[in-house]
Amino acid sequence: MKTMKILLAVFLGVSWVGGICAQEKPSAKPVKAVRFGKLWDAKGKLWTNAIVVVEGDRIRSVTTDAAAIPAGAETIDLSKYTGLPGLIDVHTHMTIYTDETPGEPMLKQLTNNPPAVEVFLARKGALRTLEAGVTTVRDLGADQYMDIAMRDLINHGEMIGPRMFVVGYGLTVTSTPYKPGINPPAGGIADGVPEVLKVVRQQIAAGADLIKLYASTGTDDDVTWFQTYGYEEIKAAVDMAHKFGKKIAIHSYGPDGARDAVRAGTDSLEHATDMDDATIQEMAKRGTFYVPTIDHNRYYLENWQKIGYANGFQEKTKAFIERNLETARKAHKAGVKFAMGSDAIYTMFGQNTRELGWFVKAGMTPEQALRTATTNAAELLGKEKELGAVAPGYFADLVAVEGDPLADIDVAIYNVKWVMKGGAVVADKTKAQPR
Ligand SMILES: [Zn+2]
């Protein structure tokens, strides 16, 4: 009988992603009722005086009827606030967290810290990410499978952080520098179709949730966009990932790698500026997600000395931001689907959602921008029935903000007051005492 139950659970797609097994006895699941003044459920409804009933790590129901609150439920009163689904950041580097140790540039910290130290330190970035209302991330590239370790520690409740979907090593050609001053990760190097296929398989065997491929140069203070992988190699990576039921994210700073990545059938395209109209049209037609990551260059400009970049890169980076924004504007106008990715790294964690401000600048309404970090991002993860909305059966990932995020996107970026992930409160500033 027990085996039957487990088999049935597997058949029904019961997920361990939230870290709590959905097969616990019903009586063991705590029930909570969360009251919001307003609730944007990402399902097309703006509720007034909503009550979200949470059972264990999932949402049981959404109602306005107080009589529907189960007896014995813990009530959390957030009626001063607007509720949103937990937000999703589809482009992070959670394991590349650094602090602001005086006199030690962040690039140097990375080379000095052994992997175990990096993962341990990364818990701070993970917490800041949660505090920004981000309860799920797609982490796009780490060294030595630190991302897999971190994902599993979070899922096992040993570390507090957003739910992670990870890639292991991103695929790079021999000459691509991983990060300036850092040895390239040997695990991700692949030249030619046979090596590409091998490295894709290696990542999947290691436990990656999806695949990442760097199809051009460009990273940190380097905004070049020389295409590094040819179409055949890109196509091989895409097809092999898809054969295993995995999605693929392809990095390209410029239009050439972007064109081939889109034609090859990538699920998402990261960064890409200056895309030609044909590529943009193709993305709209295929439903390829665009993850422009405009804001991370703003972060680099503001923090370059602490990071340890050499002076003199600023003008090129400023120009890149402008072209990135312009490309986003064109793509949005053409009907391309967007997902919010911050490219958070170093001390940028906690600023993950600033990207939404750029999306509004690119022509989106605040609601369209919120979709990039909820329903769209969930679809890109293939988790649109579990993440990115407030509805029965979804993970109980909830955010309370002060103000109206549909009128002003800054409310979602800067006014996060309370966060629940998988039914557990992970951030609470509602009771903050004035100092
Ligand atoms: Zn990145």
Side-chain angles (χ1 to χ4, degrees), residues 59-81:
I59 293 165
R60 188 205 273 188
S61 60
V62 186
T63 178
T64 53
D65 179 11
I69 298 176
E74 177 198 344
T75 301
I76 300 172
D77 184 11
L78 300 170
S79 50
K80 286 199 315 206
Y81 306 107

Side-chain angles (χ1 to χ4, degrees), residues 91-93 140 179 212 214 251 271 293 343:
H91 193 136
T92 61
H93 297 277
L140 292 188
K179 296 280 165 197
K212 165 83 178 280
Y214 292 86
H251 159 120
H271 319 298
T293 70
D343 212 350

Side-chain angles (χ1 to χ4, degrees), residues 35-36 77 101 108 127 132 143 153-154 158 184 207 226 249 258 269 275-277 280 295 315 359 385 404 407 411:
R35 287 172 175 271
F36 291 107
D77 184 11
T101 307
K108 197 147 180 276
L127 212 52
D143 198 5
L153 286 167
I154 290 171
E158 297 292 344
F226 176 74
L269 179 64
M275 283 193 281
D276 52 67
D277 291 344
I280 289 174
D295 189 59
E315 212 166 295
F359 287 177
K385 294 196 175 104
D404 181 1
V411 166

